[in-house]
Amino acid sequence: MTNLQRICFITGFAIFFSGCNQENTSKTITPPTKPVVKKKIKKVVKQPQKKHKAYKYCSKHTKVMSHASKYIKEEFDKGYFLEKDIVGAKAQLFLIESKSPSIFAKNINDALESYTSQYQLAKKNKCNLKSFKISPIAKVKNTIKTLEKSDEKINKK
C-alpha cells in the first residue's frame, strides 16, 4: 500500500471508532406524571369481503376440451358412424379402453388425456362446465347404442 492509502485507511478507522465510543451525555430526567386513563372504545371494523377473482384460463381449458371432444367425434364419424359400422366402432372402442398401441387408439387416448386433464383443472378453478357434462367416449357409446337401436328396428321390419 502506498503512504496515501495508509493515511486514508487509518483516518477512516479512527473516525469510525471514535463515533462508536461516544456516550449520550444529554440525558434529562423527567419527573413522573400521573398516568392518563383512556376510555376503551370498541370499534367495529368490518373486514372487506374477499371478492372471488375470476380464473383467467377458463376459456383456454374449455377450448382445449372442445377441440379434443370434436376430434374424437369426427374420427369416429369418419371411420365408423357414416358407414354405420357398429362392430368396427365397438372394436375400436375396446382398443381405446384397453390402451392399445394402434395409431388410432393412441391418438384418441391422447385426446382423452388432454380432455381429462383440462377438465380437472377447469373443475378445480370453478369454471363453467355445463357444456361438458358428458365425456367424449360416453358420447361415442351413446351413438353406438343409438345406431344399434335403429339397426334393430330396421331388421325387425
Side-chain angles (χ1 to χ4, degrees):
M1 288 172 84
T2 65
N3 286 336
L4 182 60
Q5 288 177 333
R6 285 184 188 167
I7 293 172
C8 288
F9 185 75
I10 292 171
T11 307
F13 267 104
I15 292 171
F16 178 75
F17 286 116
S18 66
C20 293
N21 287 333
Q22 288 182 350
E23 291 183 23
N24 189 3
T25 57
S26 64
K27 290 184 181 177
T28 57
I29 300 173
T30 57
T33 60
K34 289 184 178 180
V36 178
V37 179
K38 293 183 180 179
K39 294 181 180 179
K40 293 183 180 179
I41 300 172
K42 292 184 180 180
K43 292 183 179 179
V44 178
V45 179
K46 292 185 179 180
Q47 301 251 345
Q49 292 181 354
K50 294 181 181 178
K51 293 181 180 178
H52 180 68
K53 291 183 179 179
Y55 181 65
K56 63 181 178 179
Y57 296 112
C58 283
S59 62
K60 176 191 165 216
H61 298 311
T62 55
K63 184 178 177 182
V64 171
M65 288 168 41
S66 63
H67 179 70
S69 181
K70 182 180 174 186
Y71 172 76
I72 293 169
K73 182 183 180 303
E74 285 179 358
E75 289 299 313
F76 269 94
D77 283 345
K78 288 179 201 173
Y80 304 102
F81 297 147
L82 291 177
E83 299 171 8
K84 297 187 179 184
D85 183 11
I86 300 170
V87 177
K90 282 184 176 180
Q92 196 58 249
L93 193 59
F94 173 77
L95 291 174
I96 290 167
E97 289 175 341
S98 62
K99 307 283 186 196
S100 172
S102 71
I103 294 172
F104 186 85
K106 275 186 180 180
N107 290 340
I108 298 296
N109 280 326
D110 288 343
L112 276 172
E113 186 177 312
S114 169
Y115 178 90
T116 305
S117 66
Q118 296 298 318
Y119 184 85
Q120 294 300 325
L121 285 171
K123 186 176 179 181
K124 178 182 172 184
N125 292 299
K126 299 175 182 163
C127 297
N128 184 5
L129 298 173
K130 289 181 182 177
S131 58
F132 299 102
K133 289 182 180 179
I134 301 173
S135 73
I137 289 296
K139 289 179 184 178
V140 168
K141 289 178 181 179
N142 290 341
T143 306
I144 291 172
K145 287 179 185 176
T146 305
L147 288 175
E148 285 178 334
K149 287 180 183 178
S150 66
D151 195 35
E152 286 176 4
K153 288 181 183 177
I154 292 172
N155 289 338
K156 285 184 181 179
K157 290 183 179 180

